[in-house]
Amino acid sequence: MPVAAKPALKKPVDTMSSQGLASKKASKGGKGKTPRGKDMDDMSEMGEVGDEWMQQKTMVKPDDQLELTEQEMKEEFTRILTANNPHAPQNIVRFSFKEKVFKQVASVDQLAIHFTLDGNMLHKDSDEARRQMARGGLAEAPSEPAVAEGEEKAEPAAEGGEGEAKPEGEGGEAEKEEGATQTAPAAKDGSKKLTNQFNFSERASQTFNNPYRERGTQTEPPPRVNFSSTANQWEIYDAYAEDIQRQEKSKEKKGFRGQQESTSRKKISAIESQGDDISRIEKPAKILERMVNQNTYDDIAQDFKYWEDVSDEYREQEGTLLPLWKFSYEKSKRLAVTSICWDPKYRDLLAVGHGSYDFLKQTRGLICLYSLKNPSFPEFIYNTETGVMCLDIHPAYPHLVAVGFYDGSVGVFSLTEKLQEPMYKCTAKGGKHTDPVWEVKWQKDDLDNNMNFFSIGGDGRVVSWTLVKNELLCTDVILLKLDESPADGADGTQLFTLGCGTAFDFHKQTDYLFLVGTEEGKIHKCSKAYSSQFLDTFDAHHMAVHSVRWNTFHPKIFLSCSADWTVKIWEHTSNMPLFTFDLGSSVGDVAWAPYSSTVFAAVTSDGKVHVFDLNVNKYEALCEQVVVTKKKTKLTHIEFNPNYPMIIVGDDRGYVTSLKLSPNLRKIPKEKKGVEAAKGPEVEIAKMDKLLSLVREPPPEKK
């Protein structure tokens, strides 16, 4: 493209105009010259200067100047001025986490700030403006000089008015001046307000545009492991040989199998694939099931949370039980409820053992764990080969469940494992019971920090089981020997007759002390330290003892029930019962309340639940209520919830019913105004001692 030629450089000359020179000479001339003579002198001087200019005018050009034609010199070149910053970078690149590539930034900040000033504007009549003006030394009343001038102008006007009569126009002006003098003090006082009280000035500024930013997070990369190995020729050959042998064996098996086996195999594979699909949606299905049940059983949940029997206010010594949820499982309807236990950590979870008390109808067993949040179906189900007779949940590890079976064996199930078989199970070589196991109880860890539990069986043995690695180690704690004299064996050894243990319970405060109930109707007080003899023996009942329970609060009181229709309360230092209650039917189970030392409940074979409060009535039950729907249904077990005012009962048809206690059955001492009601174990112990002082026999007088 041709480049425009540079213009020719001219010699610098004086650019003063002719008029300027003339004025300059005129300033040098004398004062006596006339203006005409002055002009003539100027014209002559201008002529001299013009001649001198024409003589000295020369064209100077550089040596390297391009010679351009007129067409090239008339050619126009367009230059566009933009607001882009020439120093701004144009190649900024950032990583885009969305597209996972480096991308160039489209918008670059072109603004360059040279000066910024933050200002504010105040009203000149405001307090802040006056303070600033006073601080700067400015006068607050700029109208004073104007007032003074107005007065000076008004004085001569007044003097002229004394001797001469003014025309109308002048008189009007005088009146205006007088009005001005009158309004000046008013302006000075500040009574007259200006029309526009603000000094408004329009200003504009260029704002700063924030650049666009893309935020992202960068996570740590997953761990990587480099694996490398070498394959030799013989290793490849061996792998091919093994694969060929495997294929030949599979062909031989297919040849011997018939069409029926092939069809059954297809069914099994279809079931397995279906099981894989079900396992994927198992958790979402459980959540959905709970949501549906929450809507279905909403009225029961509302009763459980808020319902209180108002009629209890009008009757002091009576209470009622409100039926809530009913738990059942299709495969457990023909099996009796042989054990019930609340989870010590998850208060809404309960474990139920199913078996049979009939010797001639022994089949399978079942363990079901239900939740109050989903009463329609168990949370966990475990099928067993023999009937489950008892179970207990570990207090510190709620996923471990100890189970006693009808065949005399014991096992430990883990709820975290998906296996149907127990993690630990004793065998005939491992010292299992020879008769059914009627009760199991977890105990504190031993000196080696190994978990252990106790069991009692119909063979008259109380056994301690310790969980060591993958096996159960047993130790006989005590043998329930009868008072009969031992018989002589064939080789001269003495054979002791053992009783049949049916129930036991460990002391709440003293670890080594426990009670054992037998089928002969006796209760033995035993110690873990003495395995050869009993600490004491109570002739408690005439028939088999079904349950013994230590009081939750009082360390000396325990409760027993039997098939002889009676429930008895004992003090372990006395051989005579303190209270005896005849319930008119075989008593299956009893339980102390966790909130009071004087409240307990019992279930009988005629389908009734009896709730007693000795502090209110020492002779009769506050509540005697039938809770079964069908006749001839026997209630087998009962248990209080440790947190909520409710109980659960099981029957011999496989159903578990939950019941809410009315206010009279869980009376708590009322708080007086300004005085806090005493609470705690000491209060419950004192309440029981006060009750026992009325029924204890006085000590014999010393002579």
Side-chain angles (χ1 to χ4, degrees), residues 415-669:
L415 303 182
T416 57
E417 301 290 338
K418 294 185 178 181
L419 301 175
Q420 283 290 325
E421 296 296 325
M423 289 178 59
Y424 301 89
K425 189 174 182 180
C426 69
T427 58
K429 295 180 180 180
K432 74 169 189 175
H433 295 274
T434 56
D435 275 352
V437 181
W438 294 112
E439 197 159 3
V440 291
K441 290 282 184 184
W442 284 101
Q443 290 298 297
K444 292 183 179 179
D445 296 350
D446 58 9
L447 298 177
D448 296 331
N449 292 328
N450 293 322
M451 290 182 288
N452 66 95
F453 64 92
F454 282 63
S455 67
I456 184 170
D459 56 355
R461 295 165 57 210
V462 178
V463 182
S464 171
W465 302 91
T466 306
L467 281 65
V468 179
K469 293 184 179 180
N470 294 326
E471 60 180 348
L472 283 174
L473 302 180
C474 71
T475 304
D476 287 347
V477 178
I478 198 168
L479 299 177
L480 305 179
K481 299 177 182 178
L482 298 178
D483 295 336
E484 300 175 0
S485 58
D488 295 333
D491 54 353
T493 57
Q494 292 182 343
L495 301 177
F496 292 94
T497 306
L498 300 179
C500 178
T502 55
F504 70 155
D505 193 25
F506 288 85
H507 199 274
K508 300 294 187 291
Q509 287 84 20
T510 309
D511 294 336
Y512 62 84
L513 195 63
F514 64 96
L515 296 170
V516 176
T518 62
E519 195 171 344
E520 291 79 21
K522 294 183 179 182
I523 298 176
H524 302 292
K525 184 170 68 173
C526 309
S527 173
K528 295 179 184 178
Y530 299 99
S531 60
S532 59
Q533 59 183 359
F534 308 123
L535 299 180
D536 201 355
T537 300
F538 304 89
D539 292 328
H541 297 276
H542 302 290
M543 297 180 70
V545 178
H546 286 164
S547 180
V548 288
R549 300 285 183 97
W550 285 102
N551 191 282
T552 311
F553 299 96
H554 204 287
K556 294 183 179 181
I557 305 300
F558 67 90
L559 183 69
S560 67
C561 69
S562 172
D564 63 358
W565 301 5
T566 60
V567 174
K568 295 183 180 182
I569 297 176
W570 304 80
E571 190 174 15
H572 76 85
T573 56
S574 174
N575 289 330
M576 296 298 295
L578 301 174
F579 294 95
T580 301
F581 302 96
D582 190 346
L583 303 185
S585 183
S586 176
V587 185
D589 195 10
V590 289
W592 287 103
Y595 54 84
S596 176
S597 61
T598 58
V599 178
F600 67 92
V603 291
T604 55
S605 59
D606 57 355
K608 292 182 180 180
V609 177
H610 304 259
V611 182
F612 293 82
D613 190 350
L614 302 179
N615 195 33
V616 178
N617 193 336
K618 299 186 291 294
Y619 307 104
E620 294 180 352
L622 298 185
C623 176
E624 182 180 335
Q625 187 171 327
V626 179
V627 298
V628 294
T629 56
K630 295 182 180 180
K631 294 182 178 180
K632 296 183 180 180
T633 301
K634 299 178 182 179
L635 295 180
T636 56
H637 287 278
I638 186 171
E639 196 71 35
F640 279 86
N641 188 286
N643 283 66
Y644 307 123
M646 64 179 298
I647 57 175
I648 50 173
V649 294
D651 56 33
D652 61 349
R653 295 182 183 271
Y655 292 96
V656 177
T657 307
S658 58
L659 307 162
K660 184 176 182 180
L661 302 168
S662 67
N664 280 354
L665 301 181
R666 46 187 168 92
K667 273 190 174 179
I668 299 173

Side-chain angles (χ1 to χ4, degrees), residues 192-212:
K192 185 179 179 181
K193 296 183 180 179
L194 297 175
T195 306
N196 184 8
Q197 299 182 15
F198 295 95
N199 294 329
F200 177 75
S201 63
E202 185 176 357
R203 297 179 181 179
S205 63
Q206 188 173 4
T207 59
F208 178 75
N209 296 324
N210 293 321
Y212 293 102

